[in-house]
Amino acid sequence: MARNNRKLTESDFVMFNVVYEDGALSSNRKVPLTEIDGAADTAGAKAVIEAQDRDIAEKSGRPRGRVKTIERVKRK
């Protein structure tokens, strides 16, 4: 079976804006399409972003607030 070795491109991601409970905004967060169930899957994207935040917090030693809302960025 052949392996797909191509690199991910910009179209392989869906972008989301995230607002945290403390009012902080994180714009254009990339979520791989392979990690969610379609481009409109905000619940799956929220889980991926929270996992990314935990990983970043672990490496930086600075915890991130809880996600309040998540919204898909519309393409131009």
Side-chain angles (χ1 to χ4, degrees):
M1 181 189 255
R3 291 175 59 189
N4 187 355
N5 289 328
R6 73 178 184 85
K7 292 188 178 202
L8 294 176
T9 64
E10 192 68 32
S11 63
D12 295 330
F13 292 94
V14 179
M15 307 289 263
F16 290 90
N17 289 332
V18 182
V19 177
Y20 294 90
E21 288 181 348
D22 63 359
L25 172 67
S26 183
S27 300
N28 297 323
R29 294 288 298 269
K30 286 184 178 181
V31 176
L33 271 173
T34 57
E35 298 291 321
I36 59 175
D37 216 10
D41 180 19
T42 57
K46 181 179 178 183
V48 171
I49 289 171
E50 288 173 339
Q52 291 172 350
D53 285 348
R54 281 191 301 274
D55 187 43
I56 292 166
E58 181 180 306
K59 291 177 182 176
S60 70
R62 297 182 62 191
R64 190 67 182 216
R66 294 179 51 181
V67 173
K68 182 177 179 181
T69 61
I70 184 171
E71 180 181 318
R72 182 169 181 237
V73 175
K74 303 211 180 352
R75 286 180 143 188
K76 293 181 181 179

